[in-house]
Amino acid sequence: MKDNFNLIVAGYGGQGILTATEIIVGASLKEGNDVRETELHGLAQRGGSLDCHVRFGKKIFSPLVSRGEADLIIAFEAVEALRACYYANKETIVILNSKVFRSESKLKEIVAKIEKVAKKAYVIDADKIVRAETGAITGTNIFLLGYALGKGAIPLKKESILQSIKENIRPRFIDENMRLLEKGEKSD
Amino acid sequence: MEILNKKRGFLSGNDGVVRGALESGIGCAFSYPGTPATEIGEVFAEVAKETGIYFEWSVNEKIALEAAAGAAFSGVKSIVSVKHYGLNVALDSLLPLAYLSCPLVVVVTDDPGCFSSIQTEQDSRWFSKLGKIPILEPSNSQEAKEMTKEAFKIAWQYKIPVILRMSTRVCYSRSLVDFGLIIKPAKGKFKKFEFKLGAARTVELHKNILEKISEIGKLSESSKLNFIEKSEGMTGIITSGVTYEYVKEVLEKLNLKLPILKIGLCYPFPEKLVKSFLKNVCQAIVIEELDPFIEEEIRKIDSIKIHGKDVFSETGEIKPEQVLEGIAKILGITLPKPPQIEVEKRLSFLCPGCPHRSTLYAVKKVLGRKIFSGDIGCSMLGIFSPLEMQDFVVSMGASVGIGHGISKTTGEKPVIFIGDSAFFHAGMPALLNLVYNKADALVIIVDNRWTAMTGHQPNPNTGINAMQEEAKSVDIAEIAKALKADFVKSSNVYSFDQLCNDIKEAYAVKGVSVLVANGECRLVVVRNAARKGIMLPKFEIVKQDSKLEELKNFGCPAIQKEDGKWFIDKDICWGCTVCKQIVPSCIEISK
Ligand SMILES: Cc1ncc(C[n+]2csc(CCOP(=O)(O)OP(=O)(O)O)c2C)c(N)n1
Ligand code: SF4
Ligand code: SF4
């Protein structure tokens, strides 16, 4: 790993992005990193683009990832994945949920555009898998974390992530989320 | 809670302010929600009971500031937190309070880039000069905490209000913060002070405050809030706020060693310090968000070559890559061109089942296009397609006065929309003005029971206060009646036909008609249901029919059309029933 790791978690409001970010922040703190994070919340409306920046490593100043400097982008929706590619470079891994929300764009074209600027896009229909597993899509965030972990894209120990999930998720949902993390990790 | 940890916590800048206030021994905090300052109040609300402080959501910023002043007059350390234009509202009292030696800490959060602001992108540092008020500006969460403490020190030592100016990125970025001890709040006692009236006395007080500022100016020169990081380079960088953090990284990335002067206390301006810094360099680069506040101060005192707003934008957020590009440009360093990515814009929308949608749609359906005077709040999203209603939105409560002016001069009866919180904030006196001055207007107050747009703070309508205690819940229709509106009626936004009839009836009345459209914020309803494990109904399209085309004009985001077929996205249908009421033959509760 370089000195610092730069992660973008992207999607639109109401998708559980903040929780996913919180889990990664918790895990990276546990491993003794200097961590900075930024996201803009505090507004209630739905549907607007949302991206969270997490940076961890030896010493971090800027809370924002600079353009072209993300190591990993986890996106909960395809158009938002493309938007987040503002932060991508030829080494960036993009993990994306194949959902296209309120847009005429086609997934295939979006992925092609992403692969032009990033190293690799891993695309998965996370909503479908999570719905089949739990009956709803609220767990997509944890599933995608697991998926990224399975691809070796997060330089954190699984142990720290599990621990962080326990600290950030309401008790009655922990078991389900543990299952989703595993499921994501094992998915292709 | 992280912020009540003993030694250290991972805090946002907003959290840092709260911790800093607790470490200063505050007794009370006041606010009116406004993002990016909102969480300061929310965190105060959360910790109030445990730490023994008092916190309230006041009805508007002016009242919040005045209450804080009352506490300070009683010897209790108090803080008020508002968003940038929130301070516009409070200004009328802030300026005389400076004359009256009121020791207050006023946190104001600017929003470069207007992430959560539509009114202005103003730079609050100018309030310092207008009111002779010292201003401190942190760059990160640790500094937010330390500078809050410093603000209290200056405020109480010099008996003066002090502004802590934050910006969105400082409010909303988190990092590890080392803690000091929390000091228990003291009880207040109001000691009478000499208070005289008269022009001569006001002039005298003006003189006093200038003297104070000159004293604090000396402090500014030696304060650790303004510091130099020495280096051999002949270009000096002067910066403040979050851009300091970007400068640190950019210099490292470009492998440059340049001296930095970081300014944390920018009014009174540390002239001598700046001069001494400039002595050792040939040119200066000033990097600050929004206005050239520091740049202008430097130009006044030194003739050195300066780059500032010629390179770094006066509008929008300055991002780290802009700092990189700016410094590179000035120093003649070429950077590789980044790839361009074009992505469609994504607009926010009113939630599925939102009471505003039902109200706005009903008005358009019943009355057609009228003059639609808009106000601040979630209802603003009615400006977007497909509703495209409000003709303008200006500031809290302004829908009422502006609608009034239009009707007086055009003879047309406008429809004025306003939310409950905005009505309490500034709409009530405006409605009184309509009545008194014989207006002809329909005022629709959408009562969703919460201050929703800023994240659902309780207000005088909700039945609880900030500290989660039971509170009186006022009846808006009763207020309108007491203000002697010509017609007042309450209507349920989820009984669609009745709502349409009520709108028609209200609009037909000559004079001031008030319709209170009741419907709890759907997001709150959904969250509460989820918490209690209650399933709200979901709806589905059971028959494809051309009648469904009407739903395009309604615009619930859950209702979509794909390959010529209508469907309801059950993941986001929040079961409000309104679509079924609009096209009853095609929609049913899904089993
Ligand atoms: C002077 C001022 N203070 C605070 C704000 C921030 N603000 C924007 S919308 C809003 C809430 C409005 O609440 P309400 O009128 O109840 O409408 P709702 O969002 O609930 O529909 C607030 C406080 C502002 N725009 N102006
Ligand atoms: S938060 Fe409430 S009031 Fe605002 S758009 Fe959503 S449902 Fe409507
Ligand atoms: S019931 Fe209809 S209008 Fe209401 S949220 Fe569901 S789809 Fe939207």
Short mmCIF file of all heavy atoms in Angstrom, two decimals, chain B residues 352-353 539 554 556 558-559 568 573-579, ligand 3:
data_model
loop_
_atom_site.label_atom_id
_atom_site.label_comp_id
_atom_site.label_asym_id
_atom_site.label_seq_id
_atom_site.Cartn_x
_atom_site.Cartn_y
_atom_site.Cartn_z
N PRO B 352 -41.01 10.33 -2.08
CA PRO B 352 -42.28 9.68 -2.38
C PRO B 352 -43.26 9.98 -1.24
O PRO B 352 -42.87 9.96 -0.07
CB PRO B 352 -41.93 8.18 -2.38
CG PRO B 352 -40.44 8.12 -2.54
CD PRO B 352 -39.89 9.38 -1.96
N GLY B 353 -44.48 10.29 -1.57
CA GLY B 353 -45.47 10.51 -0.51
C GLY B 353 -45.35 11.84 0.20
O GLY B 353 -46.02 12.07 1.22
N PHE B 539 -47.98 0.27 -3.13
CA PHE B 539 -48.99 0.26 -4.19
C PHE B 539 -48.40 -0.31 -5.46
O PHE B 539 -47.20 -0.35 -5.65
CB PHE B 539 -49.54 1.67 -4.39
CG PHE B 539 -50.50 2.05 -3.29
CD1 PHE B 539 -50.03 2.37 -2.01
CD2 PHE B 539 -51.87 2.04 -3.50
CE1 PHE B 539 -50.90 2.68 -0.98
CE2 PHE B 539 -52.75 2.36 -2.47
CZ PHE B 539 -52.27 2.68 -1.22
N PHE B 554 -47.68 14.46 -11.84
CA PHE B 554 -47.64 14.36 -10.38
C PHE B 554 -46.18 14.18 -9.92
O PHE B 554 -45.71 14.87 -9.01
CB PHE B 554 -48.53 13.18 -9.95
CG PHE B 554 -48.60 12.95 -8.48
CD1 PHE B 554 -49.02 13.94 -7.62
CD2 PHE B 554 -48.24 11.71 -7.95
CE1 PHE B 554 -49.09 13.71 -6.25
CE2 PHE B 554 -48.32 11.48 -6.59
CZ PHE B 554 -48.74 12.48 -5.74
N CYS B 556 -44.35 11.47 -8.60
CA CYS B 556 -43.79 10.66 -7.50
C CYS B 556 -42.64 9.81 -8.07
O CYS B 556 -42.83 9.10 -9.05
CB CYS B 556 -44.85 9.74 -6.90
SG CYS B 556 -44.13 8.56 -5.73
N ALA B 558 -41.42 7.13 -7.24
CA ALA B 558 -41.61 5.68 -7.22
C ALA B 558 -42.36 5.21 -8.47
O ALA B 558 -42.33 4.04 -8.82
CB ALA B 558 -42.37 5.26 -5.96
N ILE B 559 -43.08 6.13 -9.11
CA ILE B 559 -43.88 5.75 -10.27
C ILE B 559 -43.05 5.99 -11.53
O ILE B 559 -42.64 7.11 -11.80
CB ILE B 559 -45.18 6.57 -10.35
CG1 ILE B 559 -45.92 6.46 -9.01
CG2 ILE B 559 -46.05 6.10 -11.50
CD1 ILE B 559 -47.12 7.37 -8.89
N ILE B 568 -44.68 0.70 -10.37
CA ILE B 568 -44.31 1.40 -9.13
C ILE B 568 -43.14 0.67 -8.51
O ILE B 568 -43.19 -0.54 -8.31
CB ILE B 568 -45.51 1.47 -8.17
CG1 ILE B 568 -46.57 2.43 -8.74
CG2 ILE B 568 -45.06 1.94 -6.78
CD1 ILE B 568 -47.82 2.57 -7.90
N CYS B 573 -41.77 3.15 -2.84
CA CYS B 573 -43.16 3.60 -2.62
C CYS B 573 -43.37 3.71 -1.11
O CYS B 573 -43.12 2.76 -0.38
CB CYS B 573 -44.17 2.62 -3.21
SG CYS B 573 -45.85 2.92 -2.61
N TRP B 574 -43.81 4.87 -0.68
CA TRP B 574 -44.00 5.08 0.76
C TRP B 574 -45.48 5.13 1.13
O TRP B 574 -45.87 5.71 2.14
CB TRP B 574 -43.25 6.32 1.23
CG TRP B 574 -41.76 6.09 1.32
CD1 TRP B 574 -41.10 4.90 1.17
CD2 TRP B 574 -40.75 7.08 1.59
NE1 TRP B 574 -39.74 5.09 1.31
CE2 TRP B 574 -39.50 6.40 1.58
CE3 TRP B 574 -40.78 8.45 1.84
CZ2 TRP B 574 -38.29 7.07 1.81
CZ3 TRP B 574 -39.58 9.11 2.07
CH2 TRP B 574 -38.36 8.42 2.06
N GLY B 575 -46.29 4.53 0.27
CA GLY B 575 -47.67 4.22 0.63
C GLY B 575 -48.57 5.38 1.00
O GLY B 575 -49.44 5.24 1.86
N CYS B 576 -48.43 6.52 0.32
CA CYS B 576 -49.23 7.68 0.74
C CYS B 576 -50.66 7.64 0.20
O CYS B 576 -51.50 8.43 0.60
CB CYS B 576 -48.54 8.97 0.30
SG CYS B 576 -48.67 9.27 -1.46
N THR B 577 -50.93 6.80 -0.79
CA THR B 577 -52.26 6.60 -1.41
C THR B 577 -52.65 7.66 -2.44
O THR B 577 -53.67 7.52 -3.09
CB THR B 577 -53.43 6.52 -0.39
OG1 THR B 577 -53.73 7.84 0.09
CG2 THR B 577 -53.12 5.61 0.79
N VAL B 578 -51.89 8.71 -2.59
CA VAL B 578 -52.36 9.80 -3.45
C VAL B 578 -52.45 9.38 -4.92
O VAL B 578 -53.42 9.70 -5.61
CB VAL B 578 -51.49 11.07 -3.27
CG1 VAL B 578 -51.95 12.17 -4.24
CG2 VAL B 578 -51.59 11.57 -1.84
N CYS B 579 -51.49 8.59 -5.39
CA CYS B 579 -51.56 8.16 -6.81
C CYS B 579 -52.84 7.36 -7.05
O CYS B 579 -53.49 7.51 -8.07
CB CYS B 579 -50.33 7.36 -7.21
SG CYS B 579 -50.07 5.86 -6.25
S1 SF4 C 3 -48.63 5.51 -2.89
FE1 SF4 C 3 -48.25 6.22 -4.96
S2 SF4 C 3 -47.84 8.39 -4.76
FE2 SF4 C 3 -47.64 7.51 -2.72
S3 SF4 C 3 -45.49 6.98 -2.55
FE3 SF4 C 3 -46.48 5.16 -3.34
S4 SF4 C 3 -46.31 5.35 -5.54
FE4 SF4 C 3 -45.87 7.36 -4.71
#
